[in-house]
Amino acid sequence: MDTPVLIASITLTAVVALIPAVSDEGSVDLSVVIPAYNETGRLPSMLEVTLTHLNSPAIKSSRTYEILIVDDGSKDDTSALALKLASHYPQSELRVVTLEKNLGKGGAVRHGMLHSRGHRLLMVDADGASRFEDLEHLWMSLDKLAPKNEPAVAVGSRAHLVKTEAVVKRSLLRNILMYGLHTILRIVGVGDIRDTQCGFKLFTRRAAQKIFPAQHLSTWIFDVELLLLAKQLSIPIIEVPVEWHEVAGSKLNIAKDSLQMLRDLLVLRGNQLVGRWKAVPL
Ligand SMILES: *[C@@H]1O[C@H](CO)[C@@H](O)[C@H](O)[C@H]1NC(C)=O
């Protein structure tokens, strides 16, 4: 009766081997991880811009890539749409992962990162608010900071846009909350990073291998935890100015999500102070 067990275990190994893990060696130059919740409206144009850039002759000849769309348990047809879009770009390595349950943006990003194959891994919002071409600025910063792809993080920053139209146009409430958030971030220990929340961050694989397995928060404030983990692990972080424009359809519910952010920051700080959430250097 040994044989069936053996067959089952071989099958399982084969299946597991098909799913990339961040702990493996990287096999493409870049992974683009796009968390998507109810994004049928904004994903198509964002994806088109992304692919146009990555497939432009200069970039395509020097860099291989994969794109991972992580559908965070959407209630609309995000996965079906993403699969349809993928079929429009048969030359591109595009994968769609559908999470059965909504984890929150941080959970979707973490899932994508843990199953990526890139030597460098980009997280980018599905709304297209960042100028995707600015990836090249992050890329060059990492070339300098980590020429051999040592652990390092380049984070897009909108801090230089403060006082420009893009920010003034944000509601007063949003600006007050941003100010409050910054005060708290100083207390938490990432106050020297001027923009923690920009959804455009590039990690070397070795940084991702250390940071994402240790990530606990899956809600909006997960960016702060990622940066805090990087600091604890002595992974260098560079802030790189990027262009950005507000896109309609934000999923942020200011009142509810601000309270949750505050709660999560306290949970994060508390767990770190008592040493429960400690990043373990590899
Ligand atoms: C997601 O989409 C579903 C179905 O269209 C809708 O009922 C729900 O309110 C949406 N959720 C958010 C947060 O936009």
Side-chain angles (χ1 to χ4, degrees), residues 37-38 75 251:
Y37 178 69
N38 276 12
K75 296 280 190 305
K251 306 289 188 318

Side-chain angles (χ1 to χ4, degrees), residues 37-39 73-77 249-251:
Y37 178 69
N38 276 12
E39 289 292 358
S74 295
K75 296 280 190 305
D76 66 357
D77 293 328
S250 171
K251 306 289 188 318

Side-chain angles (χ1 to χ4, degrees), residues 14-263:
V15 169
V16 169
L18 286 175
I19 303 171
V22 77
S23 53
D24 301 339
E25 293 283 309
S27 56
V28 294
D29 295 318
L30 170 70
S31 294
V32 177
V33 173
I34 309 174
Y37 178 69
N38 276 12
E39 289 292 358
T40 47
R42 304 189 291 186
L43 191 60
S45 61
M46 182 276 172
L47 204 56
E48 172 151 17
V49 171
T50 301
L51 287 165
T52 300
H53 179 69
L54 293 176
N55 290 334
S56 64
I59 302 291
K60 198 174 170 76
S61 61
S62 64
R63 191 188 293 160
T64 54
Y65 70 87
E66 63 170 359
I67 296 177
L68 242 89
I69 298 168
V70 186
D71 175 356
D72 188 15
S74 295
K75 296 280 190 305
D76 66 357
D77 293 328
T78 295
S79 275
L81 177 80
L83 285 169
K84 195 167 140 227
L85 291 171
S87 71
H88 292 174
Y89 302 98
Q91 309 302 334
S92 303
E93 182 69 41
L94 226 150
R95 288 190 283 148
V96 180
V97 182
T98 310
L99 302 180
E100 241 171 82
K101 257 176 57 185
N102 176 255
L103 292 180
K105 184 178 161 192
V109 168
R110 180 174 190 264
H111 187 89
M113 290 288 177
L114 291 180
H115 300 293
S116 285
R117 299 180 294 189
H119 296 299
R120 290 179 177 177
L121 303 93
L122 178 77
M123 59 173 251
V124 53
D125 289 349
D127 60 5
S130 314
R131 207 178 77 101
F132 192 82
E133 295 84 345
D134 287 346
L135 164 65
E136 301 315 311
H137 298 308
L138 301 189
W139 195 272
M140 284 186 288
S141 300
L142 276 194
D143 283 345
K144 285 194 199 126
L145 193 63
K148 297 194 176 117
N149 277 333
E150 300 90 331
V153 187
V155 301
S157 172
R158 300 160 298 183
H160 66 295
L161 297 172
V162 172
K163 297 208 180 73
T164 64
E165 219 180 332
V167 174
V168 174
K169 269 202 212 144
R170 279 204 308 232
S171 71
L172 178 66
L173 177 60
R174 238 176 130 149
N175 279 328
I176 291 172
L177 286 169
M178 286 307 286
Y179 185 80
L181 175 64
H182 241 220
T183 308
I184 296 167
L185 292 181
R186 269 201 297 278
I187 300 167
V188 172
V190 290
D192 57 323
I193 295 168
R194 293 172 68 204
D195 183 5
T196 55
Q197 298 310 107
C198 183
F200 203 52
K201 293 183 170 70
L202 184 64
F203 302 78
T204 61
R205 190 172 190 82
R206 286 176 57 203
Q209 284 171 339
K210 293 182 177 191
I211 293 172
F212 289 100
Q215 176 194 341
H216 285 84
L217 292 178
S218 59
T219 49
W220 290 98
I221 208 66
F222 78 102
D223 299 75
V224 172
E225 186 183 18
L226 297 181
L227 297 171
L228 210 58
L229 286 167
K231 280 177 174 269
Q232 289 174 347
L233 293 160
S234 307
I235 295 175
I237 302 169
I238 184 165
E239 267 193 279
V240 182
V242 294
E243 288 302 315
W244 177 83
H245 64 279
E246 189 111 37
V247 180
S250 171
K251 306 289 188 318
L252 199 65
N253 175 329
I254 293 192
K256 183 172 141 256
D257 290 323
S258 298
L259 281 176
Q260 190 179 38
M261 277 189 195
L262 182 61
R263 198 202 66 190

